[in-house]
Amino acid sequence: MDTLLDLLNSRPLVNGEERDALGDPAGGRRWAREHGGEGSLAELALLRETRDILQDIVRGESSPAALSPLLEGVHQIPEITSDGLQWMVKTPPHARLAVEVVLAWAATEKQMPGRLRPCTNDECRLFLLDRSRANRARWCSMAVCGNREKARRHYERTR
Protein backbone atom coordinates (compact mmCIF):
# COMPACT_ATOMS: atom_id res chain seq x y z
CA MET A 1 0.00 0.00 0.00
CA ASP A 2 2.93 2.33 0.61
CA THR A 3 4.06 2.03 -3.00
CA LEU A 4 0.49 2.68 -4.15
CA LEU A 5 0.30 5.95 -2.18
CA ASP A 6 3.84 6.89 -3.17
CA LEU A 7 2.95 6.47 -6.84
CA LEU A 8 -0.32 8.39 -6.53
CA ASN A 9 1.55 11.18 -4.72
CA SER A 10 4.57 11.24 -7.05
CA ARG A 11 3.44 14.41 -8.83
CA PRO A 12 2.65 16.96 -6.10
CA LEU A 13 2.32 20.73 -6.28
CA VAL A 14 5.09 22.41 -4.30
CA ASN A 15 4.61 26.17 -3.93
CA GLY A 16 2.23 26.08 -6.89
CA GLU A 17 4.74 24.26 -9.10
CA GLU A 18 4.34 20.65 -10.21
CA ARG A 19 7.13 18.27 -9.20
CA ASP A 20 7.12 14.91 -10.94
CA ALA A 21 9.27 12.26 -9.25
CA LEU A 22 9.00 10.17 -12.44
CA GLY A 23 9.48 13.08 -14.83
CA ASP A 24 13.20 12.98 -15.46
CA PRO A 25 15.00 9.70 -16.20
CA ALA A 26 17.49 9.89 -13.31
CA GLY A 27 14.87 10.75 -10.68
CA GLY A 28 12.44 8.25 -12.12
CA ARG A 29 15.02 5.45 -12.10
CA ARG A 30 15.84 6.24 -8.48
CA TRP A 31 12.12 6.25 -7.54
CA ALA A 32 11.50 2.93 -9.31
CA ARG A 33 14.53 1.23 -7.76
CA GLU A 34 13.59 2.48 -4.28
CA HIS A 35 10.22 0.80 -4.77
CA GLY A 36 11.58 -2.52 -6.06
CA GLY A 37 11.57 -1.77 -9.79
CA GLU A 38 14.32 -1.98 -12.37
CA GLY A 39 14.27 1.67 -13.44
CA SER A 40 14.09 1.14 -17.21
CA LEU A 41 12.56 3.79 -19.45
CA ALA A 42 9.77 1.36 -20.40
CA GLU A 43 9.00 0.82 -16.73
CA LEU A 44 8.91 4.57 -16.05
CA ALA A 45 6.53 5.18 -18.95
CA LEU A 46 4.21 2.46 -17.67
CA LEU A 47 4.39 3.78 -14.10
CA ARG A 48 3.43 7.28 -15.29
CA GLU A 49 0.50 5.84 -17.26
CA THR A 50 -0.59 3.72 -14.29
CA ARG A 51 -0.36 6.72 -11.95
CA ASP A 52 -2.50 8.89 -14.22
CA ILE A 53 -5.17 6.22 -14.65
CA LEU A 54 -5.30 5.41 -10.92
CA GLN A 55 -5.52 9.10 -10.01
CA ASP A 56 -8.51 9.50 -12.32
CA ILE A 57 -10.16 6.39 -10.87
CA VAL A 58 -9.64 7.47 -7.26
CA ARG A 59 -11.01 10.94 -8.08
CA GLY A 60 -14.07 9.30 -9.65
CA GLU A 61 -13.28 10.70 -13.10
CA SER A 62 -12.68 7.31 -14.72
CA SER A 63 -13.90 3.74 -14.43
CA PRO A 64 -11.68 0.91 -13.14
CA ALA A 65 -12.11 -0.61 -16.62
CA ALA A 66 -9.43 1.89 -17.72
CA LEU A 67 -6.89 -0.41 -16.05
CA SER A 68 -7.65 -3.31 -18.42
CA PRO A 69 -4.91 -2.51 -20.98
CA LEU A 70 -2.31 -2.47 -18.19
CA LEU A 71 -3.27 -6.00 -17.18
CA GLU A 72 -3.23 -7.66 -20.61
CA GLY A 73 -1.00 -10.72 -20.56
CA VAL A 74 -0.68 -10.73 -16.75
CA HIS A 75 -1.21 -14.07 -15.01
CA GLN A 76 -1.31 -15.18 -11.40
CA ILE A 77 0.15 -18.61 -10.80
CA PRO A 78 -0.32 -20.55 -7.56
CA GLU A 79 2.85 -21.65 -5.82
CA ILE A 80 3.08 -23.90 -2.78
CA THR A 81 5.85 -22.88 -0.39
CA SER A 82 6.75 -23.84 3.18
CA ASP A 83 4.52 -20.90 4.25
CA GLY A 84 1.53 -22.23 2.31
CA LEU A 85 -0.13 -21.08 -0.89
CA GLN A 86 1.14 -17.91 -2.53
CA TRP A 87 0.12 -16.33 -5.82
CA MET A 88 2.99 -15.32 -8.07
CA VAL A 89 2.36 -12.64 -10.68
CA LYS A 90 3.74 -13.42 -14.13
CA THR A 91 4.30 -10.31 -16.20
CA PRO A 92 7.04 -8.76 -18.34
CA PRO A 93 9.82 -7.38 -16.07
CA HIS A 94 9.19 -3.74 -17.02
CA ALA A 95 5.50 -4.10 -16.06
CA ARG A 96 5.91 -5.90 -12.72
CA LEU A 97 5.95 -2.79 -10.47
CA ALA A 98 2.99 -1.15 -12.23
CA VAL A 99 1.00 -4.40 -12.00
CA GLU A 100 1.84 -4.72 -8.30
CA VAL A 101 0.54 -1.18 -7.74
CA VAL A 102 -2.70 -2.02 -9.57
CA LEU A 103 -3.08 -5.16 -7.44
CA ALA A 104 -2.43 -3.09 -4.29
CA TRP A 105 -5.14 -0.65 -5.40
CA ALA A 106 -7.57 -3.55 -5.95
CA ALA A 107 -6.76 -5.03 -2.53
CA THR A 108 -7.22 -1.64 -0.88
CA GLU A 109 -10.59 -1.15 -2.56
CA LYS A 110 -11.69 -4.62 -1.44
CA GLN A 111 -10.40 -4.44 2.14
CA MET A 112 -10.95 -0.72 2.79
CA PRO A 113 -13.56 0.52 0.30
CA GLY A 114 -13.79 4.29 -0.03
CA ARG A 115 -10.79 4.99 2.18
CA LEU A 116 -8.36 5.81 -0.60
CA ARG A 117 -9.26 9.31 -1.75
CA PRO A 118 -7.88 12.68 -2.84
CA CYS A 119 -7.13 15.42 -0.34
CA THR A 120 -10.06 17.84 -0.14
CA ASN A 121 -7.77 20.89 -0.27
CA ASP A 122 -8.35 22.35 -3.75
CA GLU A 123 -4.72 23.45 -3.96
CA CYS A 124 -3.37 19.98 -3.23
CA ARG A 125 -3.00 17.02 -5.57
CA LEU A 126 -2.10 14.40 -2.97
CA PHE A 127 -4.06 11.33 -1.96
CA LEU A 128 -4.64 9.76 1.42
CA LEU A 129 -5.56 6.38 2.81
CA ASP A 130 -7.94 6.96 5.71
CA ARG A 131 -7.13 4.46 8.44
CA SER A 132 -9.23 6.21 11.09
CA ARG A 133 -12.08 4.39 12.77
CA ALA A 134 -14.63 7.03 11.76
CA ASN A 135 -13.48 7.17 8.10
CA ARG A 136 -13.72 10.96 8.10
CA ALA A 137 -10.17 12.06 7.21
CA ARG A 138 -10.26 14.82 4.61
CA TRP A 139 -6.69 16.00 4.18
CA CYS A 140 -3.44 14.36 3.22
CA SER A 141 -1.83 16.17 6.16
CA MET A 142 -3.56 17.88 9.04
CA ALA A 143 -0.44 19.97 9.63
CA VAL A 144 -0.41 21.35 6.10
CA CYS A 145 -3.70 21.05 4.23
CA GLY A 146 -5.96 20.75 7.26
CA ASN A 147 -4.59 23.87 8.93
CA ARG A 148 -4.74 25.85 5.68
CA GLU A 149 -8.36 24.88 5.11
CA LYS A 150 -9.36 25.64 8.70
CA ALA A 151 -7.56 29.00 8.60
CA ARG A 152 -9.26 29.85 5.29
CA ARG A 153 -12.72 29.01 6.70
CA HIS A 154 -12.01 31.00 9.87
CA TYR A 155 -10.91 34.02 7.82
CA GLU A 156 -14.08 33.85 5.71
CA ARG A 157 -16.30 33.61 8.82
CA THR A 158 -14.67 36.60 10.52
CA ARG A 159 -14.58 38.85 7.46
Side-chain angles (χ1 to χ4, degrees):
M1 279 191 241
D2 290 340
T3 302
L4 169 62
L5 267 180
D6 287 350
L7 183 64
L8 286 171
N9 292 331
S10 65
R11 196 173 56 194
L13 284 178
V14 179
N15 297 325
E17 183 179 317
E18 181 179 278
R19 302 267 170 92
D20 189 348
L22 305 175
D24 72 279
R29 280 189 186 102
R30 185 172 41 258
W31 190 96
R33 288 181 183 137
E34 287 172 359
H35 291 85
E38 60 183 25
S40 71
L41 293 178
E43 180 181 51
L44 293 179
L46 195 56
L47 285 169
R48 285 190 294 270
E49 180 182 359
T50 302
R51 174 189 60 198
D52 294 346
I53 293 170
L54 283 173
Q55 286 177 341
D56 287 347
I57 291 169
V58 174
R59 286 187 188 111
E61 298 168 358
S62 188
S63 161
L67 293 167
S68 293
L70 299 173
L71 299 174
E72 287 179 16
V74 174
H75 302 284
Q76 280 192 319
I77 302 168
E79 184 177 286
I80 301 293
T81 67
S82 59
D83 296 329
L85 176 69
Q86 293 184 353
W87 289 91
M88 304 304 294
V89 176
K90 187 173 181 174
T91 185
H94 77 280
R96 185 189 52 78
L97 186 55
V99 168
E100 287 176 359
V101 169
V102 171
L103 293 175
W105 167 80
T108 301
E109 286 300 303
K110 184 175 183 177
Q111 296 165 6
M112 303 170 73
R115 291 185 175 256
L116 178 64
R117 55 182 166 260
C119 179
T120 58
N121 178 355
D122 294 336
E123 299 170 8
C124 181
R125 284 198 199 157
L126 298 181
F127 293 80
L128 65 118
L129 181 60
D130 186 354
R131 293 182 171 112
S132 71
R133 176 178 268 179
N135 191 22
R136 295 178 58 186
R138 298 175 55 198
W139 303 290
C140 63
S141 164
M142 186 60 188
V144 179
C145 289
N147 283 342
R148 283 184 189 155
E149 186 65 27
K150 287 181 175 189
R152 185 181 346 225
R153 285 196 314 240
H154 174 74
Y155 174 76
E156 288 175 5
R157 278 194 312 268
T158 58
R159 257 185 10 183

